[in-house]
Amino acid sequence: DVKVTQSSRYLVKRTGEKVFLECVQDMDHENMFWYRQDPGLGLRLIYFSYDVKMKEKGDIPEGYSVSREKKERFSLILESASTNQTSMYLCASSLNLGWEQYFGPGTRLTVL
Amino acid sequence: GNSVTQMEGPVTLSEEAFLTINCTYTATGYPSLFWYVQYPGEGLQLLLKATKADDKGSNKGFEATYRKETTSFHLEKGSVQVSDSAVYFCALKSSGDKLTFGTGTRLAVRP
């Protein structure tokens, strides 16, 4: 059974903290994605990666960075968390760009 | 650029009612179209898809037909159940592009 796991379901951080969100997939997929989900805005792509050490900006990369050192792991980094980054963060992976994406359960991040 | 427009929710129905969730799109080329579902507390999962005009995707009693002439991909189910309560996302992919999602439509089904 395909599986995408995220390191935390709920996270509370303070403004200015550095935050790491981890995502692991066990399907040997080439592509991995980070989205944020906000009411009324749907899913917005932050970054994606199509290979180890490769990354591309999505629609809203400002304030975020990513790291992909191993094929199965894709990390989202908030260098200095701000309250407007309070959101649900969803990780996904796919075999080919644009094909079926498999999603993790999400991390609900609150920045105080 | 690509965009997806979904009807705003929430949609509230009684069990066994007929469901329609509208989805229209704007895209260059010939996109593939998808419906994803997000159950409470979970990530998104693919519900159905259609890759060319007039294709019908179906799964778990849900159906959607790719209508190129009206640029639409409306989701339908003949008889909803309480367990169908979720948020439904329409999405598209055109050649060489990533997935573009709509804003989601929340469905609540009453017993």
Side-chain angles (χ1 to χ4, degrees):
Chain A
D1 203 12
V2 298
K3 204 158 181 67
V4 178
T5 56
Q6 295 183 229
S7 51
S8 306
R9 292 300 299 271
Y10 300 93
L11 210 51
V12 179
K13 296 291 182 181
R14 298 212 172 271
T15 302
E17 280 192 78
K18 189 169 186 176
V19 182
F20 292 86
L21 302 182
E22 303 285 336
C23 175
V24 177
Q25 52 97 0
D26 67 356
M27 295 164 283
D28 203 34
H29 282 170
E30 302 294 328
N31 308 299
M32 297 188 74
F33 308 81
W34 276 106
Y35 295 90
R36 62 178 284 177
Q37 181 182 6
D38 299 289
L41 297 176
L43 273 73
R44 293 180 292 167
L45 182 64
I46 304 171
Y47 268 97
F48 70 101
S49 167
Y50 52 88
D51 201 353
V52 174
K53 296 191 187 293
M54 307 301 287
K55 61 185 180 185
E56 282 204 25
K57 293 179 180 179
D59 301 318
I60 52 163
E62 296 78 19
Y64 303 95
S65 62
V66 290
S67 172
R68 193 162 180 207
E69 297 296 319
K70 293 185 178 181
K71 191 175 186 180
E72 68 271 17
R73 189 178 298 269
F74 191 36
S75 302
L76 180 69
I77 303 154
L78 287 66
E79 294 289 342
S80 178
S82 63
T83 55
N84 63 12
Q85 292 178 310
T86 291
S87 186
M88 171 70 87
Y89 290 88
L90 293 170
C91 175
S93 71
S94 72
L95 188 58
N96 293 302
L97 270 182
W99 289 100
E100 178 173 359
Q101 294 187 12
Y102 294 86
F103 283 81
T107 296
R108 186 166 293 282
L109 172 67
T110 301
V111 182
L112 302 176
Chain B
N2 297 337
S3 67
V4 175
T5 303
Q6 290 182 236
M7 60 189 290
E8 285 198 30
V11 173
T12 304
L13 296 173
S14 297
E15 210 165 20
E16 298 184 3
F18 184 86
L19 168 72
T20 300
I21 300 178
N22 291 337
C23 171
T24 56
Y25 66 90
T26 302
T28 54
Y30 302 94
S32 296
L33 301 171
F34 305 81
W35 276 101
Y36 278 80
V37 58
Q38 184 179 33
Y39 297 105
E42 298 183 15
L44 277 70
Q45 54 186 276
L46 181 66
L47 181 60
L48 54 84
K49 66 182 180 185
T51 57
K52 61 183 188 296
D54 299 325
D55 267 3
K56 178 186 283 189
S58 61
N59 187 24
K60 299 181 181 180
F62 290 89
E63 292 183 341
T65 301
Y66 187 159
R67 302 280 188 206
K68 194 170 190 307
E69 63 276 11
T70 54
T71 61
S72 65
F73 192 54
H74 304 323
L75 183 68
E76 296 181 337
K77 187 175 186 183
S79 175
V80 293
Q81 306 300 312
V82 172
S83 58
D84 293 327
S85 298
V87 181
Y88 293 83
F89 291 90
C90 186
L92 72 81
K93 180 207 87 86
S94 58
S95 179
D97 206 347
K98 306 169 292 294
L99 283 178
T100 299
F101 286 88
T103 55
T105 302
R106 182 176 299 278
L107 170 66
V109 180
R110 297 184 302 242

